[in-house]
Amino acid sequence: MLNNKKVPSMVKDQQLIKVRRAQMIKGAVKLFIEKGFHRTTTREIAKEAGFSIGTLYEYIGSKEDILYLVCDDIYMEVSKRLKKQLSENGTHLERLKQAITSYFHIIDDMSDEVLVMYQETKSLQKDALKYVLEKEKEMVEMMQNLIQQCIQSGELTMNEQESKLLAHNILVQGQMWTFRRWSIRKLFTLDEYISIQIKQLLYNHTSTI
């Protein structure tokens, strides 16, 4: 597992760093959605966050650091929420369905942040990009572990290659609710979308959908 990128700060108070960077992230997401990463200046981010450009540079080294913090914060929040929602009750297949449902709800709740992350990841520096891609891999593995439990219990029938692809597909279909929201949200409610996606994702691998 890769270590997270060290973002420089002149401030030593860890709690204050956490608060100020949370303000930056919130302001940056809003601006990145409106203007994109490259067209947004650090001065605009500082203003949106509620402090001066000088104060902003006490907590980061560059605009790229802010993009990294945005991506890291999103992955950490999605992972934390998903782990909290994972059920220990029911069959393995029921737990997988609950995990898919929870993941889709989390993506819906954080749709603006997720959209920014996937649109702007290409602008990350090489070391930061490696870390972000590692976090994506961890999310896939979390889903694949649940799928493997279903296979071992006989509730799903598929080989290892198919299980890996299914884990990726679950994440992609959750993200599509954000990427294609201009169209999909006119056709389905979130619960309808989740129900249909679960059927389509698992249909060929079980007789109990």
Side-chain angles (χ1 to χ4, degrees):
M1 185 182 299
L2 294 172
N3 293 322
N4 61 324
K5 178 178 181 293
K6 184 69 174 178
V7 176
S9 173
M10 289 186 275
V11 178
K12 302 303 180 185
D13 186 332
Q14 293 301 311
Q15 185 58 35
L16 187 56
I17 291 173
K18 184 177 180 181
V19 170
R20 288 286 184 261
R21 286 181 175 174
Q23 292 172 311
M24 286 183 211
I25 289 167
K26 184 177 180 181
V29 166
K30 181 176 183 294
L31 290 167
F32 292 167
I33 289 171
E34 292 175 357
K35 304 178 64 175
F37 171 74
H38 290 291
R39 292 177 57 205
T40 300
T41 67
T42 49
R43 190 173 298 278
E44 289 171 327
I45 294 171
K47 182 178 179 181
E48 190 67 36
F51 40 78
S52 69
I53 185 70
T55 298
L56 181 140
Y57 276 110
E58 291 179 0
Y59 296 92
I60 52 100
S62 66
K63 188 172 73 168
E64 287 73 18
D65 286 339
I66 300 174
L67 177 58
Y68 166 76
L69 290 171
V70 168
C71 293
D72 186 48
D73 184 70
I74 293 166
Y75 272 117
M76 296 299 288
E77 186 65 20
V78 171
S79 180
K80 181 179 74 174
R81 290 195 196 185
L82 183 56
K83 288 176 181 177
K84 189 175 181 180
Q85 292 297 320
L86 291 180
S87 174
E88 296 183 358
N89 300 317
T91 67
H92 294 296
L93 184 59
E94 287 169 348
R95 293 178 195 175
L96 175 60
K97 291 179 184 179
Q98 180 57 48
I100 294 171
T101 299
S102 297
Y103 174 71
F104 281 29
H105 275 281
I106 293 165
I107 294 298
D108 176 62
D109 191 42
M110 299 181 66
S111 58
D112 286 344
E113 291 90 340
V114 171
L115 186 62
V116 165
M117 182 176 67
Y118 283 101
Q119 285 180 335
E120 304 297 350
T121 296
K122 62 184 181 295
S123 299
L124 286 169
Q125 295 176 349
K126 189 175 180 179
D127 58 338
L129 179 58
K130 284 184 179 179
Y131 174 73
V132 168
L133 294 177
E134 181 72 16
K135 301 306 291 185
E136 177 82 4
K137 182 180 176 183
E138 288 178 13
M139 292 291 296
V140 172
E141 289 174 350
M142 192 184 304
M143 284 296 176
Q144 192 178 354
N145 287 338
L146 293 170
I147 294 166
Q148 285 296 329
Q149 291 172 15
C150 293
I151 294 170
Q152 291 168 5
S153 67
E155 295 170 272
L156 288 178
T157 304
M158 66 180 73
N159 59 37
E160 185 176 355
Q161 239 184 341
E162 290 172 327
S163 72
K164 289 179 179 179
L165 183 57
L166 176 57
H168 281 282
N169 280 341
I170 290 170
L171 264 65
V172 169
Q173 296 308 318
Q175 294 156 3
M176 189 170 75
W177 179 252
T178 289
F179 299 150
R180 303 284 296 180
R181 60 187 179 183
W182 56 272
S183 176
I184 291 177
R185 297 187 189 195
K186 295 176 183 178
L187 303 173
F188 311 103
T189 65
L190 177 58
D191 288 338
E192 288 170 341
Y193 180 77
I194 292 171
S195 178
I196 293 169
Q197 287 292 356
I198 287 176
K199 287 179 181 178
Q200 292 185 343
L201 287 163
L202 305 180
Y203 180 79
N204 289 327
H205 305 288
T206 180
S207 60
T208 58
I209 297 297

